[in-house]
Amino acid sequence: QVQLVESGGGLVQAGGSLTLSCAASGRTFSNYAMAWFRQAPGKVRDFVTGITSSGGSTRYADSVKGRFTISRDNAKNTVYLQMSSLQPEDTAVYYCAARYSRSVVVQVTTSAAYDYWGQGTQVTVSS
């Protein structure tokens, strides 16, 4: 029902910034809560940030709060992840995810709860 394609990954030096984009298919994008997850080599896929279907509420992992910002443009069927003050520990494959939800708050932070996933985009932060 939803297809997701991430873009914007790359190599950046510590302290730098990068913005990722996730383009979604379909006219029902406004009914889906969106999230970003990341997975480093040898580790599980962790929640980074999420946003409600309307864009009215967001949630962030403690490790990125204050540095990352999630936003969405429902008219363009796109969600964004603005990253700043990047550190080597942020190095990972970043995935865009979606779940059908019109909740006004983001309460789901586990990967198993999200039904649709992008292919991932690599973000590498050098020291």
Side-chain angles (χ1 to χ4, degrees), residues 24-67:
S25 66
R27 295 182 178 181
T28 59
F29 180 70
S30 61
N31 291 326
Y32 287 80
M34 304 295 296
W36 289 94
F37 289 78
R38 66 186 182 185
Q39 187 168 20
K43 296 185 177 180
V44 299
R45 188 157 52 190
D46 290 329
F47 175 84
V48 177
T49 179
I51 189 167
T52 56
S53 58
S54 69
S57 184
T58 59
R59 184 172 179 173
Y60 297 89
D62 289 341
S63 59
V64 306
K65 193 171 185 178
R67 300 189 298 122

Side-chain angles (χ1 to χ4, degrees), residues 19-113:
T19 298
L20 307 182
S21 298
C22 175
S25 66
R27 295 182 178 181
T28 59
F29 180 70
S30 61
N31 291 326
Y32 287 80
M34 304 295 296
W36 289 94
F37 289 78
R38 66 186 182 185
Q39 187 168 20
K43 296 185 177 180
V44 299
R45 188 157 52 190
D46 290 329
F47 175 84
V48 177
T49 179
I51 189 167
T52 56
S53 58
S54 69
S57 184
T58 59
R59 184 172 179 173
Y60 297 89
D62 289 341
S63 59
V64 306
K65 193 171 185 178
R67 300 189 298 122
F68 290 11
T69 300
I70 188 172
S71 61
R72 67 191 296 161
D73 186 340
N74 285 352
K76 295 183 177 180
N77 284 10
T78 303
V79 63
Y80 305 93
L81 179 62
Q82 296 175 282
M83 303 181 290
S84 63
S85 300
L86 286 163
Q87 300 299 314
E89 54 263 37
D90 295 315
T91 295
V93 176
Y94 283 71
Y95 296 91
C96 178
R99 63 186 296 268
Y100 186 87
S101 174
R102 291 181 289 179
S103 174
V104 296
V105 295
V106 181
Q107 294 187 328
V108 179
T109 60
T110 177
S111 61

